[in-house]
């Protein structure tokens, strides 16, 4: 989705928090924001999603800007297993469509 | 334990020779999706089914078709593959309810066109 942009790559040290940003400035007021991650040669894996409020689960936290034009995925303590491509997704509220952003390749340094 | 199964994992076809990729699910989800993912790119939605209701994306080429004979199975047919159709093809499922629920992806089928 050309309207959902992310940095191409980011690095983090192991055991440190990671903040992965996403810009979705043209998102509809009722579209959900999803995050998935993908390891090489595997299908994407669900991480978290939200609409307006910040969300937490066992994997990560999602911080959504008040104007909903951007969001940030937070991994509280990066591990080597968190190295993957992370996708921010605009999930259409008018149907069942999911539109992937450009993706961020996360490298975790031991 | 497999929930979304794609067969085969690797498929080689010749230029212009029709090919069918298959997807099955054990989750009993109403919605099934097909995505195309080219090398170093994000997945791109081709179409999806809500039960038997087919929803095509506006920019999906006519060369791509799909069939869903029952809840469990969905097929992607490429009528005349070109070199540009070489990609990973991902199948996914979700519960109904719009995009409130997450998607479950299969491992993908990597298609090579010679």
């Amino acid at each position: 989705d050309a309207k959902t942009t992310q940095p191409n790559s980011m690095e983090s040290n192991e055991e440190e928090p990671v903040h992965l940003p996403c810009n979705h400035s043209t998102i509809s007021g009722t579209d959900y924001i999803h995050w998935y991650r993908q390891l090489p040669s595997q299908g994407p894996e669900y991480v978290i999603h939200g609409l307006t409020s910040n969300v937490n689960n066992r994997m990560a936290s999602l911080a959504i800007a008040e104007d909903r034009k951007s969001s940030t995925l937070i991994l509280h303590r990066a591990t080597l297993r968190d190295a993957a491509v992370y996708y921010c997704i605009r999930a259409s509220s008018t149907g069942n469509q999911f539109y992937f952003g450009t993706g961020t390749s996360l490298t975790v340094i031991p | 334990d497999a929930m979304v199964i794609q067969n085969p994992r690797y498929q080689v076809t010749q230029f212009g020779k029709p090919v069918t990729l298959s997807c099955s699910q054990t989750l009993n989800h109403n919605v099934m999706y097909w995505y195309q993912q080219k090398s170093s790119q994000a997945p791109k939605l081709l179409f999806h089914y809500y039960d038997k209701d087919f929803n095509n994306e506006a920019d999906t080429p006519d060369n791509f078709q799909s069939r869903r004979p029952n809840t469990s199975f969905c097929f992607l047919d490429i009528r005349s593959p070109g070199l540009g159709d070489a990609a990973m093809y991902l199948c996914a499922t979700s519960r109904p309810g719009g995009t409130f629920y997450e998607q479950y992806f299969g491992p993908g089928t990597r298609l090579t066109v010679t």
Side-chain angles (χ1 to χ4, degrees), chain A residues 12-86:
Chain A
S12 173
N13 293 320
E14 198 176 8
E15 303 293 315
E16 291 189 355
V18 183
H19 290 233
L20 299 168
C22 178
N23 184 311
H24 33 77
S25 58
T26 60
I27 194 169
S28 159
T30 52
D31 289 349
Y32 279 89
I33 300 156
H34 286 240
W35 283 82
Y36 285 66
R37 68 183 185 184
Q38 187 175 26
L39 296 170
S41 299
Q42 293 187 23
E45 172 192 32
Y46 170 77
V47 177
I48 200 167
H49 76 287
L51 183 61
T52 55
S53 303
N54 294 344
V55 184
N56 299 293
N57 67 20
R58 63 175 181 82
M59 290 182 71
S61 295
L62 175 60
I64 301 171
E66 196 169 332
D67 63 6
R68 291 188 13 101
K69 293 182 183 299
S70 65
S71 62
T72 302
L73 177 69
I74 302 163
L75 307 179
H76 296 288
R77 292 179 64 198
T79 70
L80 297 178
R81 287 176 295 182
D82 291 325
V85 178
Y86 286 79

Side-chain angles (χ1 to χ4, degrees), chain B residues 25 40 43 56 61 66-67 71 77 80 92 100 103 105:
Chain B
Q25 54 137 338
S40 300
N56 198 26
S66 185
R67 297 169 284 135
T71 300
D77 300 309
S80 182
F100 177 78
Q103 294 195 353
F105 282 83

Side-chain angles (χ1 to χ4, degrees), chain B residues 11-21 36 38 46 61-65 76-87 89 109-114:
Chain B
Q11 176 74 57
V12 180
T13 191
Q14 293 178 334
F15 182 95
K17 185 175 181 181
V19 65
T20 295
L21 309 181
Q36 179 192 62
K38 295 187 176 180
L46 295 174
D62 292 340
N63 198 27
F64 292 87
Q65 305 286 318
L76 171 63
D77 300 309
I78 308 177
R79 293 192 297 187
S80 182
L83 297 178
D85 296 327
Y89 289 88
T109 294
R110 184 167 297 282
L111 178 69
T112 301
V113 181
T114 61

